[in-house]
Amino acid sequence: MQFLAQLEQQPIRQVAVKPTSIFVQAGAFSERGNAERLVAQLRAGGFDNPFIVSDQAGRRVLHRVRLGPLRDSDEFDRVKGRLLAAGVTNPQLVVDR
């Protein structure tokens, strides 16, 4: 109780937060061709913004297929539902800072 009373007496600080972008990751592949095929399938399925992000992960390069940026978590939920209906088995939320 004493701890809570002390907390209530301390002023609240506001801290600036860096803007972030949220994306859906539809897949990650070691072979770029597999990522390109998924991008083509997504575009054919009506997704207008899939793209590939390639980066080093340890000793190998991963090609991640993402959609976005998205406005908010509600849009993420809608896109995730569409991806699941299209057969993408494990769409993930990604936050880039």
Side-chain angles (χ1 to χ4, degrees):
M1 287 297 241
Q2 185 178 17
F3 177 72
L4 291 177
Q6 289 174 348
L7 282 179
E8 290 174 354
Q9 293 174 0
Q10 294 180 1
I12 297 174
R13 287 187 320 145
Q14 290 186 347
V15 179
V17 179
K18 289 174 57 176
T20 59
S21 297
I22 60 174
F23 300 87
V24 180
Q25 183 167 299
F29 304 92
S30 58
E31 298 290 328
R32 184 169 179 90
N34 292 334
E36 290 170 350
R37 277 188 283 286
L38 179 55
V39 166
Q41 290 172 350
L42 292 172
R43 285 190 178 133
F47 294 93
D48 59 357
N49 60 349
F51 62 96
I52 298 171
V53 175
S54 299
D55 59 327
Q56 194 78 27
R59 293 184 178 189
R60 63 184 188 158
V61 175
L62 277 180
H63 307 283
R64 304 171 197 275
V65 176
R66 293 185 178 166
L67 296 99
L70 307 175
R71 285 183 299 278
D72 52 32
S73 61
D74 289 336
E75 186 177 11
F76 167 77
D77 290 338
R78 285 190 300 274
V79 173
K80 179 181 177 181
R82 287 182 59 210
L83 287 168
L84 290 169
V88 175
T89 57
N90 193 20
Q92 298 290 312
L93 174 70
V94 175
V95 178
D96 277 349
R97 300 177 195 272

